[in-house]
Amino acid sequence: MDPEKVEYELQHFQMCTEDIIAEHSVLMKEFIKRSLIDFTEEFIAKHRIPADRAIELRAQCHPTASKMFDDCSEKLEDLSQLYRQTFTIPDNILLPQDLQQRKGYKVEEVKALETKVAELDKQFRQDGVFLARLEDELKMYELLGPCIEEEKRLLELVDKCREEDVVPPEDLSLVQELASVMESVLHT
């Protein structure tokens, strides 16, 4: 395979078809060897083979596994071709950098656009915070609504008491002061 294409795939896509094929080959070889060793151990245990014969059988596992792997090489090559067809990145694929170069964007233009996007993002976040504050304030006013109504009722009661002279003269100044405070609160 072309070393430049391998480098291109690794640099931009963090994968390479040949690496996948090599890793699969190593895994298959290890799988065959491990399976043969496990089978041999089971065979030795089940048939109660004497120790000297068991050592000979175990010694034959590695060469036999290599031979079995070699016998599978034709099928593994077919599988490797399938990997190449499936995972190879086409030559004509455009990366974001390629598209910028193709359209003739200059580095300064790209940076200006990135700055504009950052400014818009910042403005969007600020607007979001402002809206959240407005919503909180609206909820606060909704909660204050019943209090304001109660204050109005209390103010009307104070005015009524003042008109009817229900309040003793010594407490009249206190009632008038309370009425003025409540009116100033209602108007702010």
Side-chain angles (χ1 to χ4, degrees), residues 63-75:
T64 305
S66 293
K67 175 100 173 81
M68 289 172 73
F69 181 76
D70 291 341
D71 290 345
C72 297
S73 64
E74 186 178 315
K75 292 295 178 189

Side-chain angles (χ1 to χ4, degrees), residues 14-179:
Q14 286 77 41
M15 64 158 279
C16 172
T17 308
E18 296 305 314
D19 286 347
I20 294 172
I21 292 170
E23 187 176 327
H24 181 260
S25 178
V26 168
L27 287 173
M28 286 303 297
K29 193 170 196 173
E30 184 63 30
F31 175 74
I32 291 171
K33 182 176 78 171
R34 188 78 245 150
S35 298
L36 189 59
I37 289 170
D38 289 346
F39 175 78
T40 302
E41 291 301 323
E42 284 278 329
F43 183 79
I44 290 169
K46 187 170 186 174
H47 294 286
R48 298 185 185 146
I49 296 180
D52 57 335
R53 180 71 181 126
I55 291 173
E56 286 178 30
L57 285 173
R58 288 183 185 117
Q60 289 300 315
C61 284
H62 294 290
T64 305
S66 293
K67 175 100 173 81
M68 289 172 73
F69 181 76
D70 291 341
D71 290 345
C72 297
S73 64
E74 186 178 315
K75 292 295 178 189
L76 286 175
E77 185 55 39
D78 291 345
L79 192 57
S80 296
Q81 283 304 110
L82 184 62
Y83 277 130
R84 284 186 186 99
Q85 290 172 358
T86 306
F87 293 112
T88 298
I89 296 165
D91 291 330
N92 61 355
I93 191 167
L94 286 177
L95 299 171
Q97 303 91 316
D98 298 335
L99 189 60
Q100 291 172 5
Q101 291 171 357
R102 185 172 172 207
K103 287 192 172 185
Y105 291 124
K106 295 184 175 101
V107 175
E108 299 83 24
E109 293 172 325
V110 172
K111 287 187 180 184
L113 288 173
E114 287 172 349
T115 303
K116 183 68 174 171
V117 167
E119 289 171 1
L120 290 173
D121 182 54
K122 183 179 175 184
Q123 183 65 41
F124 176 76
R125 291 176 192 275
Q126 287 175 346
D127 290 347
V129 169
F130 180 70
L131 286 175
R133 286 183 181 167
L134 283 178
E135 286 178 3
D136 289 344
E137 199 168 320
L138 183 62
K139 287 178 186 174
M140 184 184 72
Y141 283 125
E142 288 174 358
L143 292 173
L144 285 176
C147 294
I148 292 172
E149 291 301 318
E150 189 62 30
E151 285 180 6
K152 285 180 182 179
R153 191 186 65 73
L154 192 59
L155 188 58
E156 289 171 1
L157 184 63
V158 167
D159 284 340
K160 186 178 179 183
C161 288
R162 198 176 346 161
E163 289 172 2
E164 295 179 0
D165 287 330
V166 174
V167 180
E170 59 271 359
D171 294 336
L172 188 58
S173 64
L174 179 64
V175 171
Q176 288 175 342
E177 188 178 318
L178 179 62

